[in-house]
Amino acid sequence: MEVVLTPRITPAGPLGLEAYRVAGGYTSLEAAFDLKPDGVIDVVEAAQLRGRGGAGFPCGLKWRLRGSDAPKPRYLICNLDESEPGTFKDRVLLYGDPHQLVESMIIAAYALQVQRAFIFVRGEYAQGASGLTTAIAEAEHAGLLGDNIAGSGFDLRLEVHVSAGRYICGEESALVNALEGRRPNPRPRMPRISAQGLWGQPTTVNNVETLVNVPHILRNGAEWFRNLGIHGGTGPKLYGISGKVDRPCLVERSMGSTARELIYEHAGGPQAQRQIIGFMPGGASTPFLGPDQLDVVMDFEAVAQAGSRLGTGAIIVLDDLSCPVAVVLNLMQFFARESCGFCTPCRDGLPYAAQILSDIVAGRGHVGDLLLLEELCEKIAPYSFCAFAPGATMPLQSSLRVFRDHFEQHLAEGGCPYANRGQRP
Amino acid sequence: MTAFEIDARQVPFNNGDNILKAALNAGVEIPHFCYHHALGSLGACRLCAVEVKPEQPEQRPRVVMACMEPARAGLKVSVAAPAALRARQGVIEFLMTNHPHDCPVCDEGGECHLQDMTVACGPPYRRYRGRKRTFINQDLGPLVHHEMNRCITCYRCTRYYQQYALGTDLGAMRLRNEVYFGRFQDGPLESPFAGNLVEVCPTGVFTDKVFRSRFARVWDLDTAPSICPHCSVGCNTLPGARLGTLRRVRNRDHAELNRWFLCDRGRFGHQYTEHPERPWQARVRGQTVNYSDALGAALDQLQRAGAAVAGVGSPREDLESNALLQRLIIRHGGFFAAFTDPGIEAATAHAVRYINRMGTPTLAAMEHADAILVAGELTAVAPMMDLGVRQASRNKAKVGVIHHVADPLATLADYDIRLAPRQTSVALKRLQGMIATTAEQSSGDEHGLAQLAATLMHAQHPLLIGVVETLGAYGVAALAKLAQSLGGQAALAYALPGPNAYGAAIVNEDGATQKVLEAVETGKVRCLVVTAADPLGDTRTGWRWREAVGRLDSLIVMDCVDSATVRAADILIPTAAWAERSGYFINYEGRVQCFDRVFERDKPLPASVAVIADLANALDLGAGEPRVAIADLLPGIALPLAGEPGIRLTPRVRLDVPPPIESVAGATGHWQVGLASWYGDDPLADHAAALSSLAPASTATIAPDTARIAELATDARVMLRGPAGSLPLPLCIDANVAEDTVALPRSAMCQIGVGHGGYVELEAMP
Ligand SMILES: Cc1cc2nc3c(=O)[nH]c(=O)nc-3n(C[C@H](O)[C@H](O)[C@H](O)COP(=O)(O)O)c2cc1C
Ligand code: SF4
Ligand code: SF4
Ligand code: SF4
Ligand code: FES
């Protein structure tokens, strides 16, 4: 597949404005201004670009539903909070090609007729944020941002906000609260942030990877974009492969590539003499799949059919030296720590589950603990306030299925068999 | 009104209601923690899970949060459904993983919402094996105790404190299962409404520290419906006593007044009933005597004095005592006044007449105003009115405050107008002029008055609130005229000086206070009977009373707190505090409310009305039946019982308002005095140990510019001189004080003999 999003990203560092222009950058602006805002949305819709932040919501539809008559001011926010363990795609886009992001923001803002847009950057990516700030200054200087951009009559102010931290800030309504200077608790589903978001005004939140596709769609057309995908997917996708593989990596491949191709061809497969016992297809909050599911097509519907979620497309691989119970404990401790503390099932239920898991790993498990863990998941996920807790319980719930024998072995042997063998990961 | 169904019961609802709100209003219980009527829905605790039956056959039942789900006609809801119960049990079990199982030693026990919900929902077992998370508690000052381990993270406290009461020094910190509710660092809570945390918190995190210092199990408390005796709002309360002592005061819902809340003066002021200096023993000329001897001595003095008697009632005395004392004294041929300061009398009388003529809003109605002018330091005088103004402000009302010293409400105001005391009436007249002649608005204006006038004019529901004590009669009249100039939709309210100031005003004859004071000063009175008043401790007139009582043969005093007047009494008859007797107060709205006796002491003191009745009966004056005295005063009114919402007086006959009198004597100094008051400042609450420990230091406070012009340094001490003497005080410089004004606490004003708006000399001390 033609590499679209990442060809300009090299170890030499990001391209400056001039070099980015030489490489064809900022040429989509003219196309956008010709198409007019509704025309841009039409093309994005025709390209069938789906959100890359995890939920896969169609981007063009999101923009259309906001409504061209939404009250002003309206805001656009690029979600660059990337905190899902195993996920490192947005970071590469930020550090490697900030001008591509600036160009994308201008076009998205134009399509949505937004005059003030924000890029919400994960706190640990402060250095990337400073590169982005430099790129914005260059663009402003060149008249690509500010008043009357390139003579189009369109004005845009673009601001970078470096997050104060926490995973939950990536959830879009918590992000809006964080940006307003409030506690990063998610907001109720209603009113939607597309109607009443930042400072009560219509707000559109998109993931970085979603946005950076847009200039390429405008340059090359919707059909070209759709054809980049395979097995029913559309466009390119950044897949990260990490965990117990030979060469952990990030690759840009066709949406719809299989997990086997990604793991074996790009990440070198498992380390020598090791067997894959399972993997998470889309980051730490997606259900585990077993080795029999390696041929799953890595697109939204296909992964869902296989019983998991495409999430961020960040594959995490476990081999036969990784204790899945310990991995799940680690994840649950992460999620218990990252809970925003707003609702009871998540705030107090996740540490409860983590406590049971740590008992099991330490050999203090009780008969019935697996049933208890299942019960806890059933009492946490459906009744929590936001999607964090369902995401947090999915790895646990699925591991009780996929790795059942490992759990039972822990209970039967009074602790972690890997630890007993001195080989615990 | 449309309805939906909860477990086969029809529940009516209003548009915009959620399931939980409609259910609670209809008396249908749905377990909940984070929802609170005053604070609304949050959706955080997840306890209010209910099952909604499918509307289409192919759908499955859904479990939803009742507080987040809009009520709709035809909805079929089940609280009892197994799926909903299971969800609720999950929530309770999760909360209990961290909650200490210490109900037997927890102050909240017996009135704990968590306890109730845990018993109501289950689960009946405990299976969590891990450690509980623990916190370090904070010292939040003398009123509210902090025990964070009991927190269930319902966010009620911060929502109440920050969003409802607009306080800033308490909030939520940190994340995950370590969310901490407290202050940035230890220190007394700053909000005058902090005590409500005790009731808002569904568990034992925030508890009543005063109650705690003398604790009783809540089921052992004697309670009765009562009315707060600390200001003219007349909030409804539920005091609790045990073994003959009063232990605490809690809110009692009144739909039109305080609803869920009280101010800290109302909640913690009751400690005056336990003050060590409280008069317990009757005294005749320094000798401790029993009640009948004291009564005999008083009778003797009254008989000897003949018609040369006078009586002084009080705005903090109940209606029947005022009425009965007036009857007794008048029938005896003497003079009676229900006030001690002619200026306060005139101001109160005017306010009451204007309220009679123009009507006045309930506390609940104040929240719907869209533009409010407050003339005076409202927080210090009628705290719950301030909380009402805060609600209106949250509902986007524009608020203007005319004040002379630092004022909590002014810091929130859209128009913060600082004026020396005597300029207030001038400003009110000017506002009225601006409204009458729109032309005036264009002229230059340094105080933002023109903008305020425009805001009031364009409002749908403007509300004017005046503090009677500092406005004086002129200011009271100016505010009423301003309201009249705004037309029919303008609402007018006055914070009156005392829980029964309205009642005192209708018992009192115009000009009576001046007459009584002059009669005592000129020796026309031989015997003076005072009930629940402290004329000798007055700011403006105290020094005159102090000189005048020297000419009496006897000063007979009845009171339940210590005071200058009590100490000067020839015959002292200690009386029951409000919770130790029953009685009637008339609040700022003209609402007659009854308070019940809550408890009896081991050695009960007589109610003042009983003492007066004993005197009247012994004198054979036929004035002895309190109910008759009230019935004569309020003809045709069926008096309400305790616990009832009270009866609002309809306009009375005496409606013509005489022109206000200039109530302050001429200038003798260069510095205008402004009363520096605070929310704990009232004659009773002054004796409440915990609350009064928060009183601001006694200083002479002036504005920075004024200090510069007068060449006074920050750390100076100043000498103040007034008609009654001089007093050294430390100087304090504060930008919230009006220029050319020196703000003084009540006690200092009393010592030098100057009232609010009076003048003193001030000089730096070497
Ligand atoms: C707990 C949680 C964390 C999330 N974190 C991120 C994140 O770090 N980055 C992101 O783009 N979206 C994140 N999301 C998804 C966003 O809420 C939102 O759906 C997304 O930014 C929309 O962009 P898209 O439509 O372009 O995918 C998160 C969602 C949840 C529930
Ligand atoms: S599910 Fe977790 S992250 Fe989401 S609101 Fe509840 S506590 Fe916060
Ligand atoms: S302190 Fe009380 S009111 Fe505040 S969150 Fe905890 S339980 Fe709720
Ligand atoms: S506002 Fe007045 S009546 Fe109400 S509680 Fe406070 S002091 Fe008592
Ligand atoms: S009362 Fe509904 S979630 Fe708390």
Side-chain angles (χ1 to χ4, degrees):
Chain A
M1 188 204 74
E2 178 190 351
V3 178
V4 179
L5 306 175
T6 51
R8 289 163 303 281
I9 300 177
T10 66
L15 302 184
L17 177 61
E18 276 324 305
Y20 180 71
R21 279 191 137 150
V22 169
Y26 288 109
T27 51
S28 65
L29 260 53
E30 211 171 313
F33 296 147
D34 284 348
L35 282 169
K36 301 291 172 227
D38 277 344
V40 177
I41 297 180
D42 289 342
V43 179
V44 172
E45 234 179 341
Q48 295 173 18
L49 169 63
R50 297 181 64 175
R52 306 293 198 235
F57 194 82
C59 179
L61 183 61
K62 182 187 277 191
W63 293 3
R64 186 171 306 288
L65 288 178
R66 204 275 329 252
S68 54
D69 53 353
K72 290 180 180 171
R74 314 127 163 198
Y75 300 105
L76 167 68
I77 303 171
C78 168
N79 190 342
L80 216 163
D81 191 52
E82 190 171 62
S83 310
E84 175 90 345
T87 309
F88 41 93
K89 62 187 182 70
D90 299 346
R91 175 174 68 180
V92 172
L93 293 170
L94 169 68
Y95 282 76
D97 202 359
H99 273 292
Q100 175 175 248
L101 176 53
V102 173
E103 181 178 3
S104 309
M105 289 299 283
I106 298 168
I107 295 178
Y110 176 72
L112 291 158
Q113 289 294 293
V114 159
Q115 262 76 57
R116 195 167 173 207
F118 299 86
I119 303 174
F120 188 95
V121 182
R122 173 179 172 162
E124 287 82 353
Y125 295 173
Q127 208 187 325
S130 93
L132 179 60
T133 308
T134 308
I136 290 173
E138 282 182 316
E140 277 170 352
H141 195 71
L144 295 166
L145 280 172
D147 290 346
N148 191 14
I149 294 171
S152 63
F154 174 63
D155 310 332
L156 176 65
R157 273 168 63 210
L158 186 54
E159 294 166 48
V160 175
H161 176 88
V162 179
S163 171
R166 304 318 276 214
Y167 179 80
I168 194 61
C169 294
E171 196 282 337
E172 57 187 15
S173 63
L175 184 156
V176 165
N177 274 339
L179 202 52
E180 285 186 7
R182 299 174 196 276
R183 291 175 63 78
N185 296 129
R187 293 184 178 179
R189 248 184 296 274
M190 288 296 176
R192 290 187 205 288
I193 57 163
S194 56
Q196 288 176 43
L198 191 58
W199 300 304
Q201 294 300 120
T203 302
T204 309
V205 180
N206 273 117
N207 174 260
V208 207
E209 189 193 344
T210 316
L211 292 168
V212 294
N213 284 295
V214 175
H216 305 289
I217 295 173
L218 287 196
R219 268 193 288 268
N220 303 309
E223 193 184 345
W224 164 86
F225 181 83
R226 286 197 307 272
N227 289 337
L228 290 175
I230 55 172
H231 298 135
T234 53
K237 174 78 189 101
L238 297 184
Y239 291 106
I241 305 107
S242 63
K244 297 295 178 171
V245 287
D246 208 31
R247 295 190 307 275
C249 64
L250 184 81
V251 288
E252 180 182 346
R253 298 299 298 158
S254 295
M255 178 66 100
S257 307
T258 66
R260 185 181 300 279
E261 178 209 321
L262 296 167
I263 294 171
Y264 282 88
E265 287 179 29
H266 301 285
Q271 287 155 0
Q273 272 100 55
R274 298 270 65 91
Q275 303 281 313
I276 294 178
I277 61 159
F279 65 103
M280 308 175 99
S285 62
T286 59
F288 284 99
L289 294 176
D292 53 326
Q293 285 165 306
L294 277 167
D295 289 312
V296 66
V297 164
M298 291 286 288
D299 189 10
F300 296 99
E301 273 73 25
V303 181
Q305 256 162 29
S308 185
R309 296 193 305 125
L310 178 65
T312 57
I315 300 175
I316 303 169
V317 176
L318 273 61
D319 70 11
D320 53 354
L321 279 188
S322 346
C323 170
V325 182
V327 168
V328 172
L329 169 61
N330 178 302
L331 289 172
M332 289 311 282
Q333 283 170 335
F334 168 81
F335 286 120
R337 193 184 70 221
E338 292 300 319
S339 164
C340 82
F342 185 72
C343 72
T344 309
C346 171
R347 179 190 64 242
D348 292 332
L350 295 179
Y352 189 171
Q355 195 278 324
I356 304 289
L357 282 166
S358 69
D359 270 5
I360 295 176
V361 168
R364 291 190 303 264
H366 289 203
V367 186
D369 273 356
L370 303 189
L371 278 176
L372 175 55
L373 285 171
E374 269 161 11
E375 182 191 331
L376 292 180
C377 291
E378 280 161 24
K379 286 181 170 174
I380 294 169
Y383 310 122
S384 59
F385 186 80
C386 85
F388 174 94
T393 50
M394 278 177 199
L396 171 58
Q397 229 165 355
S398 58
S399 69
L400 288 167
R401 248 187 358 258
V402 178
F403 305 115
R404 187 78 181 188
D405 46 340
H406 290 81
F407 279 93
E408 278 166 0
Q409 206 184 346
H410 276 72
L411 290 177
E413 294 181 12
C416 182
Y418 296 83
N420 294 348
R421 278 184 247 140
Q423 290 174 320
R424 199 175 146 210
Chain B
M1 192 189 264
T2 36
F4 65 99
E5 195 185 291
I6 299 184
D7 292 321
R9 279 185 66 174
Q10 287 297 307
V11 174
F13 67 96
N14 295 313
N15 247 347
D17 281 0
N18 54 61
I19 295 177
L20 181 58
K21 183 175 183 188
L24 294 177
N25 283 342
V28 177
E29 257 318 308
I30 300 180
H32 61 278
F33 285 127
C34 62
Y35 176 86
H36 183 287
H37 275 302
L39 311 174
S41 297
L42 186 69
C45 73
R46 317 309 273 179
L47 187 68
C48 63
V50 292
E51 187 174 276
V52 174
K53 296 268 170 331
E55 280 157 277
Q56 309 294 330
E58 70 275 11
Q59 287 173 334
R60 297 204 296 165
R62 292 181 301 142
V63 171
V64 301
M65 297 306 141
C67 70
M68 304 300 279
E69 192 76 7
R72 273 180 291 124
L75 212 56
K76 286 196 170 54
V77 176
S78 172
V79 183
L85 180 65
R86 196 171 140 82
R88 290 199 297 273
Q89 291 200 335
V91 168
I92 298 276
E93 186 182 4
F94 293 152
L95 289 173
M96 293 310 291
T97 60
N98 285 318
H99 191 82
H101 292 236
D102 70 343
C103 303
V105 296
C106 174
D107 298 358
E108 192 83 356
E111 55 185 2
C112 173
H113 196 70
L114 177 62
Q115 222 173 31
D116 294 347
M117 293 298 116
T118 307
V119 172
C121 305
Y125 50 78
R126 173 177 172 188
R127 12 171 223 190
Y128 177 62
R129 315 196 286 263
R131 293 165 67 90
K132 290 175 185 286
R133 60 111 170 76
T134 52
F135 291 116
I136 292 172
N137 301 324
Q138 290 181 324
D139 181 348
L140 299 177
L143 306 178
V144 177
H145 181 76
H146 196 219
E147 197 83 44
M148 256 307 287
N149 287 347
R150 300 188 180 127
C151 177
I152 58 165
T153 325
C154 68
Y155 293 89
R156 278 191 187 186
C157 51
T158 86
R159 285 187 291 152
Y160 162 72
Y161 202 91
Q162 292 193 3
Q163 289 164 28
Y164 192 93
L166 306 180
T168 52
D169 64 318
L170 179 122
M173 287 160 275
R174 300 162 67 181
L175 296 142
R176 60 183 289 199
N177 63 351
E178 291 175 347
V179 184
Y180 189 91
F181 298 88
R183 281 170 47 88
F184 175 62
Q185 54 190 179
D186 286 31
L189 291 165
E190 288 162 13
S191 169
F193 312 102
N196 292 313
L197 289 173
V198 170
E199 290 188 61
V200 158
C201 176
T203 77
V205 178
F206 297 107
T207 51
D208 183 330
K209 208 170 195 168
V210 171
F211 180 31
R212 207 169 189 269
S213 67
R214 218 169 164 200
F215 189 66
R217 277 311 194 178
V218 294
W219 53 82
D220 288 330
L221 291 175
D222 300 324
T223 62
S226 188
I227 304 297
C228 176
H230 295 289
C231 89
S232 66
V233 177
C235 294
N236 287 211
T237 60
L238 195 68
R242 170 88 176 134
L243 299 176
T245 54
L246 187 56
R247 304 298 176 88
R248 69 157 182 191
V249 165
R250 266 172 94 88
N251 165 67
R252 184 167 60 86
D253 178 78
H254 187 298
E256 293 182 318
L257 290 171
N258 50 309
R259 289 170 295 169
W260 313 275
F261 303 122
L262 290 178
C263 77
D264 284 2
R265 178 151 108 211
R267 186 180 300 276
F268 301 107
H270 68 84
Q271 258 191 318
Y272 79 85
T273 63
E274 297 297 323
H275 194 273
E277 314 271 272
R278 177 173 168 185
W280 294 111
Q281 276 286 236
R283 238 174 33 220
V284 174
R285 304 199 192 279
Q287 296 297 310
T288 301
V289 296
N290 62 24
Y291 175 65
S292 58
D293 288 348
L295 198 72
L299 273 173
D300 188 41
Q301 290 299 323
L302 281 167
Q303 270 157 347
R304 271 197 218 185
V309 296
V312 172
S314 166
R316 72 172 155 92
E317 182 59 280
D318 55 24
L319 193 58
E320 51 271 54
S321 303
N322 273 307
L324 208 60
L325 183 60
Q326 187 224 31
R327 261 181 184 232
L328 182 152
I329 296 293
I330 300 293
R331 292 200 181 169
H332 208 71
F335 305 90
F336 173 85
F339 296 85
T340 53
D341 176 336
I344 305 278
E345 177 207 282
T348 310
H350 276 84
V352 165
R353 279 171 218 169
Y354 283 117
I355 295 166
N356 262 328
R357 176 185 289 181
M358 298 170 64
T360 198
T362 63
L363 215 53
M366 288 185 185
E367 298 181 2
H368 302 295
D370 55 355
I372 302 181
L373 166 62
V374 178
E377 278 69 5
L378 189 62
T379 325
V381 180
M384 286 295 285
M385 264 192 216
D386 161 316
L387 193 60
V389 174
R390 286 171 200 240
Q391 301 323 302
S393 158
R394 290 177 63 209
N395 296 335
K396 307 273 179 287
K398 292 266 178 253
V399 178
V401 178
I402 302 181
H403 64 115
H404 58 272
V405 293
D407 176 51
L409 209 47
T411 59
L412 305 167
D414 303 282
Y415 310 103
D416 173 357
I417 300 166
R418 229 175 333 110
L419 292 174
R422 280 164 171 264
Q423 274 179 282
T424 304
S425 320
V426 180
L428 294 174
K429 287 208 187 90
R430 186 151 160 66
L431 278 169
Q432 189 201 338
M434 287 172 172
I435 284 161
T437 59
T438 345
E440 265 196 70
Q441 285 174 43
S442 49
S443 64
D445 160 43
E446 71 280 26
H447 294 302
L449 284 180
Q451 278 176 310
L452 176 58
T455 302
L456 291 171
M457 268 174 78
H458 295 125
Q460 300 281 316
H461 306 288
L463 165 63
L464 310 183
I465 304 178
V467 172
V468 166
E469 180 181 3
T470 50
L471 275 179
Y474 266 135
V476 164
L479 193 71
K481 299 224 170 75
L482 178 59
Q484 279 159 344
S485 71
L486 284 167
Q489 76 277 38
L492 175 68
Y494 292 104
L496 306 174
N500 189 36
Y502 192 115
I506 57 178
V507 174
N508 191 68
E509 292 284 334
D510 283 335
T513 311
Q514 185 76 16
K515 272 191 211 139
V516 171
L517 176 54
E518 278 170 7
V520 177
E521 279 176 328
T522 52
K524 282 190 205 134
V525 172
R526 311 271 10 116
C527 172
L528 177 67
V529 186
V530 178
T531 181
D534 181 19
L536 278 59
D538 259 356
T539 54
R540 183 175 8 233
T541 44
W543 63 284
R544 286 173 63 188
W545 285 108
R546 291 196 288 274
E547 277 180 22
V549 291
R551 304 201 175 87
L552 295 168
D553 289 342
S554 61
L555 173 62
I556 304 172
V557 179
M558 293 170 270
D559 211 340
C560 61
V561 285
D562 184 40
S563 72
T565 309
V566 162
R567 286 187 295 272
D570 299 303
I571 301 173
L572 169 69
I573 305 181
T575 50
W578 105 111
E580 301 157 14
R581 66 175 202 262
S582 67
Y584 297 93
F585 287 150
I586 307 183
N587 81 344
Y588 82 94
E589 313 161 87
R591 185 190 298 270
V592 187
Q593 299 191 102
C594 179
F595 55 93
D596 212 347
R597 194 182 69 188
V598 178
F599 73 108
E600 191 163 81
R601 293 194 168 272
D602 291 346
K603 290 189 198 135
L605 293 171
S608 37
V609 72
V611 180
I612 300 165
D614 283 350
L615 287 173
N617 290 333
L619 290 168
D620 214 11
L621 287 175
E625 178 51 55
R627 279 197 154 254
V628 177
I630 300 184
D632 288 355
L633 198 65
L634 305 173
I637 302 265
L639 288 172
L641 299 173
E644 291 180 350
I647 287 167
R648 287 188 72 173
L649 300 179
T650 40
R652 283 160 31 84
V653 213
R654 227 171 30 173
L655 278 188
D656 35 28
V657 178
I661 52 158
E662 167 62 289
S663 57
V664 185
T668 55
H670 295 98
W671 290 77
Q672 215 180 117
V673 172
L675 173 63
S677 193
W678 72 292
Y679 69 85
D681 178 16
D682 98 289
L684 301 176
D686 277 351
H687 300 269
L691 183 67
S692 58
S693 73
L694 292 170
S698 195
T699 58
T701 310
I702 61 176
D705 276 353
T706 316
R708 201 163 40 249
I709 293 163
E711 291 173 2
L712 290 166
T714 320
D715 53 356
R717 278 179 74 78
V718 292
M719 183 60 82
L720 298 151
R721 264 183 259 282
S726 54
L727 176 73
L729 275 182
L731 186 74
C732 173
I733 293 176
D734 179 348
N736 291 305
V737 175
E739 275 157 39
D740 304 323
T741 303
V742 53
L744 297 176
R746 214 176 275 280
S747 58
M749 288 163 73
C750 170
Q751 278 187 54
I752 56 176
V754 63
H756 178 76
Y759 288 90
V760 289
E761 294 291 1
L762 177 153
E763 63 199 37
M765 288 170 70

